[in-house]
Amino acid sequence: MIEMNIRIFFLSMLLFGAVTNVSAQEVNDSTDLIDTGVTYVEPLFEYPTAPENLETFTDKCDWLAENFWNKLNVKNQEAVDQAKLNHAFYVYATTIQYATKDKVTAAVDKLMKSIQKNPMLLYQMTKAAEETIYGPRSEFWIDELYARILSATLANKKFPKSKRARYELQLKQLEHSLIGVAPNRFEFTRNNGEAARYFPMSTPTILIFGDPECDDCRMAKLRMQSNVAFNKAVTDGKINVLFIIPDPEDGWEKKTVDFPKNWTVGGTETVSDLYDIRDIPEIYLIGADGKIIAKHLSAKQAMEKAMELLKD
């Protein structure tokens, strides 16, 4: 709740008033919070405010998406303060969540193009994006946008080779794990020892990457097992459920003997490099057209979305 209030505060300031020189105390005063843990950061540059003559919320967010970075000095070849850049990207990301997708895509492409001749800033911007919209400390993930940033970064021949491997793996994992694309096929071993292969089918599929000893995974399994309507749909073959263990440890087969018999349960050592698995359980919903409909789902969300598909 605290993080949400702070995001709303920054967004309001960008839309209706300047957000430069904002201290932790001012954030607290404006949101009626005490000890948010927010650290005062002097902005890297003056953050813009959307023009008053823009009438709609979306118009203001679109304008900020396109103009937020105007005062960033992209020609300065020296390293900037990473904390300040992270802060700027956080404020920017807070805004673009509500902007028009095409506007955001064009604006980010323009930003990345503007810093191609500045390898240091390119690297630092990528780090800021990772921290804000991809990494484990991120408050929100924007996968498609981060993939575009990675593509622009890795396309730069001057980007240091020593730093490429990390981002190349991230991009590889994301490319076939984005909403609207067909996910990678992969080989796995069923918990009865049989060799098998996953490929997108004509039946809606819930693909769960998890661990049988993970508490959240067990809770997800329990919620799905206890939903009568969902269970019937799985038993009737209207929905497929796959529980796949990435990089399984010895003895995993015995730990999954109590899993539902109408699920496909298996383990594989290859899937971690092929899929975006940042959390456990990581739950995907694959549509009847073989493309990803949603990801980063809870068990409840996955069941609800899968059952909705049966109504179409």
Side-chain angles (χ1 to χ4, degrees), residues 10 14 17-22 40-49 63-76 80-93 95-96 111 114-115 121 124-125 128:
F10 280 129
L14 286 169
V19 72
T20 52
N21 299 316
V22 177
Y40 172 74
V41 178
E42 183 72 30
L44 185 61
F45 55 89
E46 182 182 354
Y47 300 164
T49 303
W63 186 92
L64 286 166
E66 295 175 317
N67 295 278
F68 182 84
W69 300 100
N70 286 355
K71 294 190 177 181
L72 173 66
N73 183 358
V74 299
K75 295 182 179 180
N76 178 18
V80 300
D81 187 307
Q82 188 66 50
K84 293 181 180 180
L85 185 58
N86 289 357
H87 182 269
F89 204 99
Y90 172 85
V91 177
Y92 182 64
T95 302
I96 61 176
L111 168 67
S114 73
I115 59 178
L121 184 57
Q124 290 194 276
M125 187 67 72

Side-chain angles (χ1 to χ4, degrees), residues 3-13 31 94 98:
E3 289 83 358
M4 179 61 74
N5 286 336
I6 293 170
R7 290 206 299 272
I8 291 173
F9 170 74
F10 280 129
L11 181 58
S12 298
M13 293 295 284
T31 55
T94 298
Y98 307 100

Side-chain angles (χ1 to χ4, degrees), residues 159-166:
F159 191 75
K161 292 183 179 180
S162 61
K163 296 179 171 61
R164 282 184 173 272
R166 172 190 185 86

Side-chain angles (χ1 to χ4, degrees), residues 23-55:
S23 69
Q25 184 59 49
E26 287 171 320
V27 172
N28 290 342
D29 291 345
S30 299
T31 55
D32 295 322
L33 302 175
I34 299 176
D35 189 19
T36 64
V38 178
T39 303
Y40 172 74
V41 178
E42 183 72 30
L44 185 61
F45 55 89
E46 182 182 354
Y47 300 164
T49 303
E52 294 182 2
N53 64 339
L54 295 176
E55 296 182 357

